[in-house]
Amino acid sequence: MSKFLINKYQSLDVYTPGEQPKDMEYVKLNTNESPYPPSKGVLEAITDEEISKLNLYPDPECKGLREKIASLYNVNAENVFLSNGSDDILNFSFMAFCSDECEAVFPNISYGFYKVFGDLHRVKYTEIPLKKDFTIDVNDYINVGKTVVIANPNAPTGLMLTLCDIEKIVSSNPDNVVVIDEAYIDFGGTTCVPLTEKYDNLLVVQTYSKSRSMAGARLGFAIGSKALIEDLNRIKYSTNPYNINRLTLLAGAAAIDDNDYYMDCCKKIIETREYTKKKLTELGFTYLDSMTNFIFAKSDKISGDDYYKKLKENGVLVRHFSNPAISDYVRITVGTKEQMDKLFEVTQRIL
């Protein structure tokens, strides 16, 4: 770092994205991207005519796309917020709803950005340990009186709270915002978006990166009460009102039009996930009961770190975390059946 970086940022423990090595062609099962391409409608939406308009600013209100998302989720357009990936929305949420006076609380094993955003904005936060089976104890968040942030399903475990559990948390904290990060909800989970009509303190965050094959386009959305959406817009218009480019807006709208295609892709991923679980069992692995497009697995025959390294040497990327509580595990993205068969073939050789 330079000598000019101010003191409060010098000690930041930054978020580490999944690696993207270019030294060889890998079977890439480390960043939870969809193995399927965007829909035909999305590709057709990016025309030469639209590209020629890149000299013009995009619509800061994202009106057309907000209306399409609102229709899909049976809410009003005023209840939808759009931004440059769900990470952007989570960042805005820490800025808007957390402070020294309003602390944050989230699981100690979850999406790594929550801790980063807490440190970045110098807000107080509490990391609550998971239970021994890696599940979230709902009672830890009842009447907690803090801004609650929970990934549901959780990452990297893949485990999910029920809709009833979410409602218990939201209803018991009426004076605090509860942010439910549903990045992986389309892989077999039940969204809590309908609860936003009942509770004005619930903000549901989703992304196009996983189930809608647009990780490279950077698009996320949130659904909540009109007042919460206004709060997020206040932050957006104080930082970067044009934070979604013209082409991403077009692609996002086309993806909603082609929603059936993406839900079919999710079904394929779910089928491959179950196939992967069966094969991992045959190889002697144990794993958590994932409701996502990844599986959190370990083997008694090899450490998580060694398995990750040996897979990489053989052209297969998975994600390994150094946290001692989960270091025995690797997180394996569910790709195509062909990609998973390559994983199994290499794993058999390694073991």
Side-chain angles (χ1 to χ4, degrees):
M1 68 186 73
S2 79
K3 64 181 181 180
F4 306 106
L5 184 65
I6 60 176
N7 290 336
K8 70 176 182 177
Y9 294 137
Q10 290 182 10
S11 61
L12 278 180
D13 187 7
V14 301
Y15 177 74
T16 303
E19 60 186 321
Q20 309 272 2
K22 306 297 182 184
D23 57 312
M24 61 185 288
E25 185 174 344
Y26 289 92
V27 176
K28 198 165 179 295
L29 305 176
N30 66 325
T31 50
N32 300 341
E33 298 148 316
S34 173
Y36 300 107
S39 66
K40 182 179 179 181
V42 167
L43 300 178
E44 291 176 346
I46 312 300
T47 64
D48 289 343
E49 180 182 358
E50 294 297 340
I51 293 173
S52 72
K53 297 177 183 177
L54 287 177
N55 58 308
L56 304 175
Y57 283 114
D59 173 17
E61 296 184 2
C62 311
K63 186 174 184 294
L65 180 50
R66 282 195 301 114
E67 289 174 348
K68 284 183 179 290
I69 292 175
S71 177
L72 180 63
Y73 287 91
N74 197 29
V75 297
N76 296 319
E78 66 186 15
N79 301 121
V80 178
F81 176 80
L82 288 161
S83 202
N84 189 268
S86 60
D87 290 338
D88 215 24
I89 301 171
L90 295 169
N91 184 26
F92 288 174
S93 297
F94 272 81
M95 294 172 69
F97 309 124
C98 304
S99 66
D100 288 341
E101 294 75 34
C102 187
E103 298 180 24
V105 59
F106 44 84
N108 69 329
I109 297 175
S110 191
Y111 185 32
F113 243 136
Y114 304 153
K115 184 178 184 299
V116 172
F117 289 142
D119 292 337
L120 176 66
H121 300 300
R122 293 298 188 264
V123 302
K124 295 179 180 178
Y125 59 82
T126 300
E127 297 178 273
I128 298 180
L130 299 177
K131 294 194 288 186
K132 289 184 178 180
D133 62 358
F134 292 113
T135 59
I136 292 172
D137 189 337
V138 175
N139 295 318
D140 288 335
Y141 299 88
I142 301 295
N143 297 315
V144 74
K146 300 176 182 180
T147 299
V148 177
V149 184
I150 292 177
N152 196 47
N154 196 15
T157 65
L159 301 177
M160 184 165 186
L161 292 173
T162 66
L163 202 60
C164 180
D165 288 335
I166 295 295
E167 185 164 13
K168 287 178 182 178
I169 295 170
V170 176
S171 63
S172 71
N173 292 285
D175 297 324
N176 298 91
V177 174
V178 177
V179 179
I180 303 298
D181 181 358
E182 292 189 340
Y184 301 99
I185 199 66
D186 290 326
F187 301 103
T190 301
T191 180
C192 61
V193 164
L195 292 179
T196 61
E197 296 185 35
K198 185 176 180 181
Y199 299 99
D200 64 359
N201 62 323
L202 172 61
L203 186 72
V204 183
V205 182
Q206 292 196 20
T207 179
Y208 274 68
S209 296
K210 314 302 181 184
S211 60
R212 291 192 169 89
S213 305
M214 285 175 51
R218 310 311 304 134
L219 182 61
F221 62 94
I223 295 176
S225 67
K226 179 183 178 182
L228 287 183
I229 300 305
E230 289 174 347
D231 294 341
L232 293 177
N233 274 314
R234 179 176 290 270
I235 302 298
K236 170 184 171 177
Y237 280 86
S238 298
T239 51
N240 181 9
Y242 301 109
N243 63 348
I244 304 177
N245 69 70
R246 297 179 65 90
L247 302 185
T248 292
L249 285 175
L250 289 168
I256 298 298
D257 291 338
D258 288 346
N259 191 59
D260 287 346
Y261 165 81
Y262 292 103
M263 295 305 102
D264 285 342
C265 289
C266 289
K267 290 178 183 177
K268 292 179 185 177
I269 290 170
I270 291 170
E271 290 172 358
T272 307
R273 181 182 71 202
E274 299 312 303
Y275 167 76
T276 300
K277 289 179 180 178
K278 180 175 179 292
K279 297 294 288 187
L280 286 173
T281 299
E282 293 173 359
L283 289 166
F285 281 76
T286 57
Y287 47 81
L288 304 186
D289 189 20
S290 173
M291 293 292 285
T292 65
N293 67 338
F294 61 81
I295 296 173
F296 205 47
K298 69 173 182 176
S299 171
D300 291 336
K301 301 175 183 177
I302 189 170
S303 72
D305 186 50
D306 284 345
Y307 182 47
Y308 151 73
K309 289 176 178 176
K310 289 184 181 296
L311 283 175
K312 184 176 179 180
E313 290 172 4
N314 286 272
V316 179
L317 292 176
V318 297
R319 190 79 187 264
H320 179 255
F321 300 91
S322 59
N323 182 337
I326 56 175
S327 60
D328 288 340
Y329 289 80
V330 294
R331 192 193 68 191
I332 305 168
T333 300
V334 178
T336 62
K337 186 175 181 296
E338 292 73 22
Q339 288 177 314
M340 306 318 291
D341 284 339
K342 177 65 176 178
L343 168 75
F344 306 140
E345 173 196 329
V346 172
T347 298
Q348 285 180 317
R349 293 205 309 267
I350 291 172
L351 295 181

